[in-house]
Amino acid sequence: VGSYDTNIWALKMDTGEFVWKFPTRGGIASSPVVDNDNRLVLFGSEDYSFTAVDANSGRISWSYPTKDKIRGTARVAHGHVFFGSDDGRLYALVVANGRYLWEYDTGAPVRSRPFVTNDIVIVGSESGEIIGLELSGKRKWAYRTKKNVTSSPYVDMLEGICYVGSADGYLYAIDAASGFSSWRYRTSGPVYSSPVVEDGICYFGSADGTLYAINAQTSRDKWKFETGGPIVSSPVVQKGAVYVGNNNGILYCIDAATGKERWKFTTQGGIPSAPFIADNTILVGSMDKTLYAFPLVG
């Protein structure tokens, strides 16, 4: 897990016991990604560099410099790692050694996490554009919203539809191949939260404090859940439950079918990061400087 204390921390899953930490020269706003093939942990920092460290030892494997802070989370696919920087570029590097492949200049900071399919890379930009690139880095299409896109795209691979939020208050459904809009869904606040689709339902949060569940095909409401505080983090869905945190510091477990609250847990700071589920454990970080682990139940 990354922290604004400038370190990446490695802890034991079952106990939370400290294993190692790797220092950078800037705050770490992004989530680290693990490439199991190369046993590497990959992350960007506000020190302008993107780094890969050995997952077991925490020793540096390679580092790549950009021209500004890196606040977006990377995506590993096809043996490559794709990530954005505040210098306005989306970068593609070889995971194993950090070798440069290409970069694409969006003209504004890229804090959205790219989504990569077998033939396209889709990412949002602070310019308000959602951009579809070929795997070679050549632009295929662009779709413009009215405000910045910090939300990370989610592509339903079966339907070929990309879902992504914008600070203009809308969630957009866009054809992943062509960039044509299918529909847009309006909320009462900016949508920084990244959507997720499960069983034909699209779940996402809005800064208006609401967690939305809508039909992914038609955008019709299934249910809404009011949390009472802005949601900038992204929901995760597991075993019929939706987990999401809000800026009031509350982690909610919501029944995915009914939208009814199952339980909630209050931390002492806002929760801007998405929960992560592994080994029947839910992990979530809070602005109270604490990482929490909960057993996955029910």
Side-chain angles (χ1 to χ4, degrees), residues 109-121:
V110 179
R111 296 171 184 170
S112 163
R113 184 186 190 189
F115 196 100
V116 183
T117 72
N118 287 329
D119 52 16
I120 199 164
V121 182

Side-chain angles (χ1 to χ4, degrees), residues 180-197:
F180 290 118
S181 174
S182 301
W183 50 256
R184 61 180 189 169
Y185 181 96
R186 186 178 183 179
T187 76
S188 301
V191 181
Y192 301 117
S193 174
S194 304
V196 62
V197 177

Side-chain angles (χ1 to χ4, degrees), residues 214-225:
I214 64 176
N215 185 297
Q217 292 283 328
T218 64
S219 76
R220 284 202 190 97
D221 288 332
K222 182 176 172 69
W223 50 257
K224 299 176 186 177
F225 181 84

Side-chain angles (χ1 to χ4, degrees), residues 65-166:
T66 71
K67 296 179 178 66
D68 209 330
K69 295 175 181 178
I70 300 172
R71 290 173 167 151
T73 297
R75 179 83 62 181
V76 171
H78 313 301
H80 302 149
V81 60
F82 304 85
F83 65 93
S85 167
D86 275 15
D87 66 15
R89 292 166 175 83
L90 179 74
Y91 292 87
L93 311 176
V94 177
V95 173
N97 54 24
R99 182 169 62 83
Y100 172 87
L101 288 169
W102 53 258
E103 64 192 70
Y104 179 86
D105 190 355
T106 72
V110 179
R111 296 171 184 170
S112 163
R113 184 186 190 189
F115 196 100
V116 183
T117 72
N118 287 329
D119 52 16
I120 199 164
V121 182
I122 301 175
V123 72
S125 166
E126 296 295 292
S127 68
E129 273 195 324
I130 302 156
I131 299 157
L133 305 171
E134 295 177 2
L135 293 183
S136 63
K138 181 183 175 186
R139 190 171 93 162
K140 198 171 181 184
W141 54 259
Y143 183 90
R144 183 168 287 280
T145 72
K146 291 186 176 68
K147 287 189 178 177
N148 52 307
V149 178
T150 309
S151 168
S152 302
Y154 179 91
V155 178
D156 183 323
M157 305 287 260
L158 283 175
E159 301 294 334
I161 300 294
C162 169
Y163 302 89
V164 62
S166 169

